[in-house]
Amino acid sequence: GDSVTQMEGPVTLSEEAFLTINCTYTATGYPSLFWYVQYPGEGLQLLLKATKADDKGSNKGFEATYRKETTSFHLEKGSVQVSDSAVYFCALQYYGNNRLAFGKGNQVVVIP
Amino acid sequence: ETGVTQTPRHLVMGMTNKKSLKCEQHLGHNAMYWYKQSAKKPLELMFVYSLEERVENNSVPSRFSPECPNSSHLFLHLHTLQPEDSALYLCASSQDPGRNTEAFFGQGTRLTVV
């Protein structure tokens, strides 16, 4: 079935460092791809999305490009802040389908 | 504030108790969802309601019973739960159906079964 795989383990980095979180997907069609963020004690919030191949989603300095050839949607940010500490989830959704398939999430901790 | 409100935020219940989780949205959406978030596991979709009808039940045990009385409210009734049911339960809503439909999540109910 359709699935999303995120890199294992938490990510700890210093303020102003470059962040990359890998996400790959398995799907039989052409899903929309999303990154959701969960701040401590909160629910999930949509961070960015891309609906077709080569689209780039961006928000709050984060970017991710829909790569059909590598079935990837890696999240990047050039200079992280302490306030970016959160759990980041990659997800896919099909057109006309209510269901989101999520990855396991990555805990990101940014140290001052 | 995402427009989706869940109550209570925290709940501790014994295995013989009966309790209910509540979710409310005022976004004009007509699809609502329950997700379970356990440690070190992907979010699990439990139930999907579209236009107040249940359209999906992902093999969830009968000790979890959803109810959607109208398009703005969703409940999850709990009875005779097990300790492994302890998790964060998230409610979400979206416009149904269609592409680019963003799901809006509530803050969740942290459930502990003792």
Side-chain angles (χ1 to χ4, degrees):
Chain A
D2 306 328
S3 65
V4 175
T5 301
Q6 291 182 234
M7 52 194 279
E8 291 288 333
V11 178
T12 302
L13 60 169
S14 299
E15 204 165 22
E16 299 183 3
F18 185 87
L19 170 68
T20 299
I21 305 176
N22 290 341
C23 171
T24 58
Y25 66 90
T26 302
T28 54
Y30 304 98
S32 294
L33 301 174
F34 303 81
W35 277 100
Y36 280 82
V37 59
Q38 185 177 31
Y39 297 104
E42 302 292 324
L44 276 68
Q45 302 173 29
L46 180 65
L47 180 60
L48 54 83
K49 65 184 180 185
T51 58
K52 61 183 187 295
D54 300 324
D55 267 3
K56 177 186 284 187
S58 61
N59 185 27
K60 299 181 181 180
F62 290 89
E63 292 184 341
T65 301
Y66 191 139
R67 301 285 189 199
K68 182 183 170 185
E69 64 276 12
T70 54
T71 62
S72 65
F73 192 54
H74 304 322
L75 182 69
E76 297 181 335
K77 184 172 184 180
S79 176
V80 293
Q81 305 300 312
V82 173
S83 57
D84 294 323
S85 298
V87 181
Y88 292 81
F89 294 90
C90 186
L92 66 80
Q93 182 186 50
Y94 278 104
Y95 175 82
N97 187 309
N98 298 324
R99 288 181 284 113
L100 283 164
F102 285 91
K104 289 186 178 181
N106 284 104
Q107 173 82 53
V108 172
V109 177
V110 180
I111 301 170
Chain B
E1 177 59 50
T2 65
V4 179
T5 304
Q6 288 187 242
T7 54
R9 292 292 306 276
H10 301 273
L11 178 62
V12 179
M13 60 185 290
M15 288 189 284
T16 58
N17 291 160
K18 291 185 180 181
K19 297 286 184 184
S20 296
L21 309 185
K22 180 182 177 182
C23 177
E24 187 172 358
Q25 60 92 5
H26 297 288
L27 300 169
H29 293 163
N30 50 26
M32 297 187 76
Y33 318 77
W34 281 116
Y35 284 87
K36 177 182 179 182
Q37 185 178 20
S38 305
K40 300 183 180 179
K41 293 177 68 175
L43 270 77
E44 302 171 56
L45 179 63
M46 300 174 71
F47 301 103
V48 179
Y49 276 81
S50 177
L51 299 171
E52 302 158 38
E53 288 192 21
R54 190 189 311 179
V55 297
E56 188 157 339
N57 173 349
N58 282 342
S59 303
V60 179
S62 60
R63 57 186 183 269
F64 295 92
S65 175
E67 178 190 2
C68 187
N70 55 62
S71 60
S72 299
H73 294 86
L74 183 66
F75 295 89
L76 187 63
H77 303 300
L78 316 171
H79 64 97
T80 59
L81 294 192
Q82 304 299 310
E84 60 264 29
D85 296 323
S86 299
L88 181 68
Y89 288 84
L90 291 165
C91 174
S93 70
S94 71
Q95 200 57 37
D96 170 49
R99 200 179 184 92
N100 301 331
T101 52
E102 176 184 349
F104 289 78
F105 284 80
Q107 293 178 304
T109 295
R110 174 69 63 185
L111 174 67
T112 303
V113 181
V114 296

